[in-house]
Amino acid sequence: MLNSTTMNPSLQTLYVDADACPVKNEIIDTTQAFQLNVIFVSSYAHHLNAPPFVKIVTVDSEKEAVDLYVMNRIRKGDLCVTQDHALASILLAKGADVLSPRGHLYVEDTIDQMLDARYVSQKQRRMGAKTKGPKAFTKTDRLRFARQLKEILAKKAGRSQKSSNV
């Protein structure tokens, strides 16, 4: 652990799959106003800096080590930011809210379709086919994420938040 803060076990926690997360600054900026635990989880291959209110947890570089850390600690009502559909599906089943860095809120109704599409693309790539990668991350994605995160946190805190505020 690089940065240790005192965590309050009675507060909700925001976990961040931080290895390739493009919205770390937005998470820091948005969460400062809300009373919750914030934990960035990354492998040793990624060095992170964050303000003192953010706990940084560093795990092995093994595949899925970050996912396992989050899966083993998240509780019902917690929030996670990840772009990993498989991790999102597991966290949804545990009663967590899951948000992508593009501001997409994962939901039970569509997660199976997302996993199926990912599986088909992986299968095509193994057979030598070329598939489209993700679209370039844009400023609009960044703004959508910040707005969605703020709305989720405000709702959890019992506050009303206009979606146009970022």
Side-chain angles (χ1 to χ4, degrees):
M1 189 175 344
L2 300 174
N3 178 9
S4 63
T5 58
T6 304
M7 303 301 289
N8 184 338
S10 66
L11 294 179
Q12 291 177 324
T13 301
L14 167 62
Y15 290 90
V16 180
D17 181 352
D19 279 345
C21 182
V23 289
K24 292 182 204 72
N25 290 335
E26 288 76 6
I27 292 167
I28 291 168
D29 293 344
T30 304
T31 57
Q32 286 185 54
F34 295 90
Q35 189 177 6
L36 74 156
N37 298 315
V38 180
I39 303 174
F40 283 10
V41 185
S42 68
S43 71
Y44 284 108
H46 297 84
H47 178 71
L48 300 177
N49 290 313
F53 76 90
V54 174
K55 180 178 179 181
I56 297 176
V57 174
T58 305
V59 297
D60 287 336
S61 292
E62 296 292 321
K63 186 176 183 193
E64 315 305 336
V66 170
D67 297 357
L68 289 170
Y69 181 90
V70 173
M71 285 186 294
N72 288 326
R73 285 163 181 82
I74 203 159
R75 298 173 299 174
K76 182 176 182 173
D78 285 344
L79 175 63
C80 181
V81 175
T82 185
Q83 50 193 341
D84 183 331
H85 298 11
L87 177 59
S89 70
I90 293 166
L91 300 181
L92 286 173
K94 293 184 87 165
D97 293 308
V98 188
L99 184 63
S100 81
R102 293 180 188 268
H104 172 78
L105 186 63
Y106 295 99
V107 293
E108 290 279 345
D109 293 345
T110 58
I111 196 70
D112 287 340
Q113 294 169 333
M114 296 173 84
L115 290 170
D116 288 342
R118 186 181 81 153
Y119 171 74
V120 168
S121 290
Q122 287 174 335
K123 190 174 175 182
Q124 289 174 339
R125 283 191 297 277
R126 279 195 301 268
M127 294 181 350
K130 297 215 184 238
T131 59
K132 286 195 230 178
K135 294 178 183 174
F137 194 79
T138 67
K139 183 177 180 180
T140 301
D141 294 325
R142 196 174 295 284
L143 293 172
R144 183 183 318 109
F145 170 82
R147 183 179 62 245
Q148 183 72 282
L149 178 61
K150 192 175 201 178
E151 287 176 4
I152 292 167
L153 294 177
K155 183 178 177 183
K156 286 180 174 290
R159 300 182 206 160
S160 176
Q161 196 67 246
K162 295 202 187 265
S163 61
S164 61
N165 293 344
V166 176

